[in-house]
Amino acid sequence: MAINYNAKDEVDGGHGSNLVVGSHTGPGNAIGGSGPKSRRPDNTAFKQQRLPAWQPILTAGTVLPAFFIVGLIFIPIGIGVFVTSNNIREFEIDYTGTDEKDPCNKCLFWNDTKPCICEINFTLEQPFEGYVFMYYGLSNFYQNHRRYVKSRDDSQLNGDTDSLKNPSKECEPYRKDGDKPIAPCGAIANSMFNDTLELFQMNESSLIRVPLHKKGIAWWTDKNVKFRNPPGGNLSEVFKGTTKPLNWPKPVYELDEDPENNGFINEDFIVWMRTAALPTFRKLYRLIEKKGVLHPTLPVGQYLLRITYNYPVHTFDGRKRMILSTISWMGGKNPFLGIAYITVGSICFLLGVVLLVIHHKYGNRNNSADIPN
Amino acid sequence: MFDNWVDNRTIYVGHKEPPPGAEAYIPQKYPDNRIVSSKYTFWNFIPKNLFEQFRRIANFYFLIIFLVQLIIDTPTSPVTSGLPLFFVIAVTAIKQGYEDWLRHKADNAMNQCPVHFIQHGKLVRKQSRNLRVGDVVMVNDGETFPCDLIFLSSSREDGTCYVTTASLDGESSHKTYYAVQETKGFQTEEEIDNLHATVECEQPQPDLYKFVGRIHVYQERNEPVVRSLGSENLLLRGASLKNTEKIFGVAIYTGMETKMALNYQSKSQKRSVVEKSMNVFLVVYLCILISKALINTILKYVWQSDPFRDEPWFNQKTESERQRNLFLKAFTDFLAFMVLFNYIIPVSMYVTVEMQKFLGSYFLTWDEDMFDEETGEGPLVNTSDLNEELGQVEYIFTDKTGTLTENNMEFIECCIEGNVYVPHVICNGQILPNSGGIDMIDSSPGVSGKEREELFFRALCLCHTVQVKDDVLVDGQKKSPDSSRSCIYISSSPDEVALVEGIQRLGFTYLRLKDNHMEILNRDNDIERYELLDTLSFDSVRRRMSVIVKSASGDIYLFCKGADSAIFPRVSEGKIDQVRSRVERNAVEGLRTLCVAYKKCTQEEYDEIHELLHSAKVALQEREKKLAEAYDQIETNLILLGATAVEDRLRKAYTMKPSESRHQGLGSDRRQDGNSNYLIQAFRRKPLWLTTKKIEEQSLMTSFELLKTSLRVLSKDEDLAFIFYVSCRLSNDLQDFGLIIDGAALSLIMKPRQTGSSGNYRELFLEICRNCSAVLCCRMAPLQKAQIVKLIKLSKEHPITLAIGDGANDVSMILEAHVGIGIIGKEGRQAARNSDYAIPKFKHLKKMILVHGHFYYIRISELVQYFFYKNVCFIFPQFLYQFFCGFSQQPLYDTAYLTLYNISFTSLPILMYSLMEQHVTSDMLKRDPSLYRDIAKNALLRWRVFLYWTFLGVFDALVFFFGAYLMLENTTVTINGQVFGNWTFGTLVFTVLVFTVTLKLALDTHYWTWINHFVIWGSLIFYIIFSLLWGGIIWPFLSYQRMYFVFIQMLSSGPAWLGIILLIIVSLLPDILKKVLCRQLWPTATERTQVKITFLLYNYWFYCCKIRV
């Protein structure tokens, strides 16, 4: 039990001596009338809570126009976006090969030392104009698993020599192979997508290779700033003392012949290293440049997709797809945004109407109720 | 059955053993005279303080989270929760340590203050704390008693002393205490040392007015003399000696056992309703959090039961991870989920709430309207924990004297046989009947009238117990130029002082009492001397007093003054009807009235009277009864002279209160100031206070029944209905009941009973109280005040109570009520210091409750709800994300966003809102007290409101997450075909989140000052700038660069912009719709007021237009 009274009070109380004292003094002889002026609070608008202020109130009257305006703006935007999205050509082909009849079925259990190559025929029924983008898509692939996402060493990828020789602990169990540090370390790098996709246009008898560009598929900042090879001239010299990731057939400095696209700054590698948000994702694989105004990039016709099938996904029920897509100002095909805009716009418009009715029906009642007050 | 606790204690005065042969007493241990109010010592401060702090559910929770983060591998770093926790704990500890240090200092000052006590016949000084039970103590004039003492002797011959108990019960009057006949002769140190006596008394108990004991005085060879001791012999700690040179006493209760210490209750930590609901919400969220973590853990293991999911070839575990025990793994997973979702209860909420309360309380102290020019004092905030409780008050308990009234009695008028005299219009001692507004019943006072008039003034001059304080003792500065008229009067009754002063202005000045002669200065500046023969002192049963004086010419007069009801029946002559009508008129106006009568006696008659009085006074048994009978016999056949009226000024602006409490429709108690002025006036008529001396318990029950029925039956009766000690009246126009009860009656009600019917009276009383719109309780002991507050507080509806008072006797009431307010008044600062808030004047209470309380409440309730809302919005997407990342505890947002969301992106707008918001202007709140009802009963933190906010948060979170999901799922949104990763996804959700949550607050803001604009738009801009910077540089100290250019890349995509705008609007839409519809269809009083203001503005605008046209 804590007794809480201020012991000091007792003293004060004693001397405070509140006698009933009637002192007959002349009027105007105010005793102790002048208090210390300094304690008087400042008369500022802030301290007196009288700052000038805008005092908006959300009433049906003020919100009504806003609803109509939102409706009127959203519906056209939605229609525009929807139409744009519909004009985008997209073609998708699943080449996992789990089905018996699939051409790639044979690659599921491939035991040869030579890579398994399978070919898939397909027909484009509409011409693809402008730039065409080739994606590979994976499903049921948890690139966003916590253990996976953190299993990388950004300093190593940025060309730090210390991290190259001694990668971060986060890379475990893909940190070292024996005594040698792995470059690039970590689960992400180790599981890099390594199927090769080639596209051919089929004429009556011959196959015409569609030229695929592998530059410009990664973010510019990633390629030029975030990812860097360790300093030094020859890449194989630089990476000496490290070893390749376990699943890789070749070391990192042999990803490409082009020195601008080799090592850590290989764009396929960089694209892979950007972990996807969701277990079903697509990643940009190649670009197909446009041929000109008159000729579509990919005209209607028969095509052949040749796959060097290396990447196993069936063990975890995954799927692999190849996607061809054109691009508009708003990116790839995405009906969601357009539909959402149209829906929200219409809802707002409808609500506006409903509110208008309510406002007229009940508005007066409230006002009249106010008057007698 | 051997117990240390004995019913009685026996004290040897001066530690002298009783002579052999006396009864043997069981020795007891008594505490020393130390007062301890501090909480900690130097050694136990850190452990005890930490323990106290971690008893707070929130602190404990964050400690656990922090420890978990330290121990296991979690998605977020321990710094994110450890740093804020450490900060909060350290600041609180420093603050509490400082406060306790101050308490230690005060205690020490008190305990070390010197005390004189007698040892071996010599005066010795020692520190107060070393005083022991049995010590003989000497106290000088003006000093405070250091402990509870039995009064042994004083410097006065008659063995009396005067004491003021202002700091105990607020009574500033002088009370007379008596020494026992046998001890009063021991007047010097040596003599007192020879006193040989023992005191037997009860064990300490808190009742200030009750004491039972007896003293054995051993005299040489004779049988010991036994005398009974009562409260008139007990000098209480805290009271101080007045007008007596010195006294001796023996200590019987010391330290924490003194009645004063027992009357101060333990100060329990008061917590506001808002804090309570906050804690309940916290528990709800804790449950949500745990169930979220539990669900995710279970789902994780269900999902992982396929080995290719648990450990696909591309994502292998380390060897140690593989070998870990399954249950251990599951448990750490659970904890990791807890850590991931722990932001749902943010540490910053507590910091923000504390800051809001602390800073917000400054607005109270800064308020100019509550500053008192006279004293130069503004309001004080002793605790800011209860700010919002001011907006929740349902019952107000107020002290009257000094709180409602100024405790300044003023003589207003006198009425002599129907002629009214008002001293204000009198100049230079010339008495003129006031010409305006007087009942000129007898307009031509004849010669006899003149005589009567002078007799009346003489009567008032003589019939009192006022003492004159010598001019010499008063400091010279206060002397008025006219020194002959400057006297300082002291009396136990302020009315008497007022009367004597008033008469002074009418020409008769009471000079002094010298050698049993009263000297008065008459109008002709001659000194008249009267011999004071007898004083028939005032008591509350007779309600009158008399003096018997002998004039210089040998005439013997008996002057009697008292309440009208006490005088009129004893009057045989005089203009009774005229005086009675005047008295009644004055009483209705709330003035304190007294009637004056006289009787002329012959010497023979006087001798008879004297004999009668003497025989009564020496009686040992039933002395009081016999005295009363004698008085009754003497005070008969009086001749009525006239009446006086004295006003106890009501505090200014008090009269404005009633209307508003009626609006509140709240029950009231102890003069909850609601109700008509009439009741207050009735209250001020002291005669209404009745005592309960002769009431049996059975009759109490029946009278309550009677009261209950009469409450129902009485509907048109406008007279006061007395039911023994309880009076009840119903004003004519309003269906309001009032109850007046006094302290003695109350203690009968509150007394716990052994029989089965216990508590019955309490409930009855409570019910009666609740049916009355005002209840007056008079003559209350401090603890009784607290009891009655407690009674109401613990009643069924648990109403919020507010107690306001100015004296030390109000302290326990102030401590007991939910909110205690002290008035920085005349009766010391005890109340102000023990209160939660102190204000200079009672009138300030109105603004404090109606404006500040209202603002504080709406501000903090929005703060609490908003905090929970924004964290549901924040964390729920993370929860949803677990379903898409294999329940791997992958955070959706970057660490920087996780840490800064509550600290910087969304903290300032709500803090500023909670400091600045004014949904209605303060003038409007003051003018229309019915708005106060809109927030009564914790209206803004009810479950319905809480669920609304939570579901709004969940809805918004669903919109954010699935909006972003549908936008980014399996497609590209950039013009160059490049793809986004998981961090862009999180950043998109986070951007929508920050904007929505901030704009939601913007929608709720009704008072946009430049600060609000600055803070709301500023924090959005800050978020953008921070994100640009955070992603714009490769930060060398970070081990990861996952946010590099993510935000900028996102902004470079058109659909991202479209998506952000769309999602923000969709999230805000339901709230806007709800607001508009509720306002339109079911508007609250507040909302109507808001609209009214705008209408006024519109009208004004139209008016302006018209003029221009």
Side-chain angles (χ1 to χ4, degrees), chain A residues 11 81 185 246 271 342:
Chain A
V11 179
V81 170
C185 76
L246 298 172
V271 166
I342 293 169

Side-chain angles (χ1 to χ4, degrees), chain B residues 87-115:
Chain B
F87 179 74
V88 170
I89 295 287
V91 167
T92 317
I94 289 169
K95 181 178 154 246
Q96 292 184 347
Y98 177 70
E99 282 172 357
D100 206 57
W101 181 68
L102 289 182
R103 274 197 291 271
H104 269 286
K105 261 178 58 175
D107 283 354
N108 282 342
M110 191 61 224
N111 290 329
Q112 286 171 0
C113 112
V115 173

Side-chain angles (χ1 to χ4, degrees), chain B residues 507-553:
Chain B
F508 284 82
T509 311
Y510 171 62
L511 290 177
R512 59 187 163 160
L513 177 69
K514 195 183 171 191
D515 305 328
N516 226 17
H517 281 76
M518 287 173 121
E519 292 177 4
I520 59 172
L521 195 69
N522 69 9
R523 277 189 216 160
D524 309 322
N525 264 347
D526 295 330
I527 293 180
E528 298 176 20
R529 281 166 64 94
Y530 293 87
E531 189 188 351
L532 181 62
L533 297 173
D534 270 303
T535 306
L536 284 64
S537 60
F538 180 86
D539 72 56
S540 51
V541 182
R542 281 164 60 233
R543 299 204 307 280
R544 60 180 183 268
M545 71 158 294
S546 307
V547 288
I548 302 171
V549 293
K550 192 176 184 179
S551 71
S553 56

Side-chain angles (χ1 to χ4, degrees), chain B residues 233-486:
Chain B
N233 307 110
L234 182 69
L235 304 170
L236 300 172
R237 177 178 197 153
S240 45
L241 189 64
K242 294 288 167 198
N243 286 16
T244 312
E245 197 188 316
K246 62 177 181 185
I247 62 113
F248 291 101
V250 58
I252 58 163
Y253 303 135
T254 49
M256 305 310 280
E257 285 186 350
T258 55
K259 284 183 185 279
M260 181 194 191
L262 292 173
N263 254 287
Y264 285 97
Q265 301 180 316
S266 55
K267 199 176 198 169
S268 59
Q269 273 266 314
K270 285 187 191 175
R271 287 202 283 159
S272 69
V273 233
V274 171
E275 203 183 330
K276 278 178 207 153
S277 5
M278 203 162 96
N279 282 342
V280 173
F281 296 161
L282 205 79
V283 172
V284 171
Y285 270 81
L286 203 66
C287 293
I288 293 176
L289 171 69
I290 291 173
S291 51
K292 267 185 182 176
L294 213 61
I295 288 169
N296 268 340
T297 315
I298 293 167
L299 285 177
K300 175 175 178 150
Y301 282 88
V302 171
W303 187 81
Q304 280 183 357
S305 56
D306 285 336
F308 63 79
R309 281 192 179 143
D310 183 24
E311 207 180 346
W313 63 265
F314 56 86
N315 190 12
Q316 309 246 301
K317 294 176 182 175
T318 58
E319 206 53 41
S320 62
E321 275 173 333
R322 252 175 236 151
Q323 278 161 3
R324 206 174 287 164
N325 177 292
L326 178 71
F327 290 104
L328 195 68
K329 259 197 292 190
F331 186 64
T332 46
D333 273 324
F334 172 74
L335 291 181
F337 278 119
M338 288 278 284
V339 169
L340 186 67
F341 302 143
N342 91 82
Y343 299 92
I344 202 165
I345 303 166
V347 78
S348 62
M349 177 167 80
Y350 279 87
V351 179
T352 313
V353 166
E354 301 254 307
M355 257 167 55
Q356 189 267 346
K357 287 184 170 183
F358 177 71
L359 296 176
S361 59
Y362 274 102
F363 283 116
L364 194 67
T365 52
W366 282 335
D367 195 331
E368 218 186 5
D369 298 343
M370 291 170 70
F371 180 79
D372 188 41
E373 295 282 355
E374 283 171 44
T375 52
E377 304 258 17
L380 293 176
V381 178
N382 293 335
T383 170
S384 53
D385 288 347
L386 298 170
N387 287 350
E388 65 276 3
E389 202 83 337
L390 291 172
Q392 291 292 305
V393 175
E394 287 165 82
Y395 284 79
I396 296 176
F397 297 80
T398 149
D399 177 49
K400 190 203 86 172
T401 313
T403 306
L404 292 186
T405 62
E406 290 177 333
N407 209 5
N408 260 349
M409 305 291 173
E410 200 179 332
F411 183 73
I412 296 296
E413 61 165 45
C414 57
C415 156
I416 303 161
E417 306 204 308
N419 285 342
V420 178
Y421 295 87
V422 180
H424 291 291
V425 295
I426 291 159
C427 320
N428 303 329
Q430 281 285 149
I431 317 132
L432 298 165
N434 191 4
S435 50
I438 304 175
D439 297 350
M440 297 297 274
I441 296 161
D442 186 0
S443 55
S444 58
V447 183
S448 71
K450 185 89 175 164
E451 246 169 52
R452 283 280 171 87
E453 185 189 302
E454 293 207 340
L455 197 60
F456 176 81
F457 293 143
R458 288 200 180 94
L460 282 181
C461 244
L462 295 170
C463 180
H464 54 70
T465 54
V466 171
Q467 292 174 317
V468 181
K469 189 143 188 172
D470 280 337
D471 270 355
V472 192
L473 296 174
V474 185
D475 47 354
Q477 296 169 334
K478 282 189 182 175
K479 263 193 202 172
S480 72
D482 189 2
S483 66
S484 69
R485 311 190 86 193
S486 150

Side-chain angles (χ1 to χ4, degrees), chain A residues 2-7 9-12 14 17-22 24-25 33 37 39-41 43 46-60 63 67 74 81 133 135 141-142 144-150 154 172-174 187 191 216-219 221 225-226 247 274-279 282 284 311-312 315-317 321 327 329-334 336-337 340-341 344 351 355 358-359 362-363 365-367 369-370, chain B residues 35-37 73-75 106-107 110 144 166 172 174 237 240 242 256 260 264 266-267 303 308 310 313-318 363 366-368 371 373-374 376-378 478 487-489 494 501 504 826-827 830 833-834 852 859 881 884-886 888-890 916 918 963 965-967 970-972 974-982 985 1006-1009 1040-1041 1044-1045 1049 1055 1058 1062 1065-1066 1069 1075-1077 1079-1081 1083 1088 1090 1095:
Chain A
I3 301 275
N4 268 285
Y5 72 90
N6 233 332
D9 296 349
E10 206 179 315
V11 179
D12 287 2
S17 70
N18 302 294
L19 314 177
V20 178
V21 170
H24 189 83
T25 48
K37 272 276 178 275
R39 277 213 56 202
R40 195 190 166 78
N43 184 15
F46 173 71
K47 287 190 173 179
Q48 301 305 321
Q49 306 197 62
R50 279 198 296 264
L51 279 179
W54 172 52
Q55 294 170 317
I57 299 159
L58 279 185
T59 59
V63 169
F67 272 108
F74 270 35
V81 170
F133 296 78
Y135 296 91
F141 191 104
Y142 283 83
N144 56 8
H145 195 281
R146 183 157 75 96
R147 199 171 350 114
Y148 187 82
V149 170
K150 67 175 184 179
D154 277 340
E172 290 289 3
Y174 305 98
S191 59
I217 56 174
W219 293 12
T221 48
V225 186
K226 191 174 166 183
N247 289 357
R274 181 157 295 279
T275 47
L278 299 163
R282 61 169 74 167
L284 189 53
Y311 204 71
T315 52
F316 53 89
D317 269 353
R321 289 159 298 145
I327 288 279
W329 61 269
M330 53 160 288
K333 203 179 185 72
N334 189 359
F336 163 72
L337 213 50
Y341 260 88
V344 172
L351 284 176
L355 278 182
I358 289 173
H359 186 54
Y362 297 96
R365 191 188 68 183
N366 289 329
N367 296 347
D370 275 331
Chain B
I35 291 287
V36 181
S37 63
D73 165 49
T74 57
D107 283 354
M110 191 61 224
T144 309
S172 49
H174 288 194
R237 177 178 197 153
S240 45
K242 294 288 167 198
M256 305 310 280
M260 181 194 191
Y264 285 97
S266 55
K267 199 176 198 169
W303 187 81
F308 63 79
D310 183 24
W313 63 265
F314 56 86
N315 190 12
Q316 309 246 301
K317 294 176 182 175
T318 58
F363 283 116
W366 282 335
D367 195 331
E368 218 186 5
F371 180 79
E373 295 282 355
E374 283 171 44
E377 304 258 17
K478 282 189 182 175
C487 333
I488 291 175
Y489 297 121
E501 277 180 31
Q504 191 173 20
K826 289 188 171 175
E827 297 187 20
Q830 280 241 52
R833 242 182 246 150
N834 282 286
H852 289 287
R859 287 169 185 172
Y881 191 55
F884 298 91
C885 71
S888 60
Q889 301 122 25
Q890 171 62 26
M916 317 286 296
Q918 298 179 25
Y965 178 87
L966 289 170
M967 258 186 62
N970 202 20
T971 183
T972 55
T974 50
I975 200 156
N976 56 9
Q978 292 169 355
V979 288
F980 288 155
N982 63 323
F985 182 77
H1006 292 106
Y1007 195 75
W1008 286 83
T1009 62
Y1040 57 84
Q1041 308 295 341
Y1044 187 66
F1045 259 72
Q1049 283 282 352
L1058 285 179
L1062 175 81
I1065 286 183
V1066 171
L1069 203 58
K1075 277 202 172 86
V1076 171
L1077 284 181
R1079 176 182 290 279
Q1080 197 73 43
L1081 300 176
R1088 283 172 193 221
Q1090 290 170 338
F1095 272 129

Side-chain angles (χ1 to χ4, degrees), chain B residues 137-175:
Chain B
V137 180
M138 192 191 90
V139 180
N140 292 320
D141 190 17
E143 280 180 359
T144 309
F145 301 117
C147 61
D148 290 354
L149 303 168
I150 289 290
F151 182 25
L152 293 176
S153 66
S154 83
S155 55
R156 284 168 179 259
E157 288 293 325
D158 55 355
T160 57
C161 71
Y162 296 100
V163 164
T164 170
T165 52
S167 59
L168 281 175
D169 57 5
E171 283 278 323
S172 49
S173 60
H174 288 194
K175 295 191 187 72

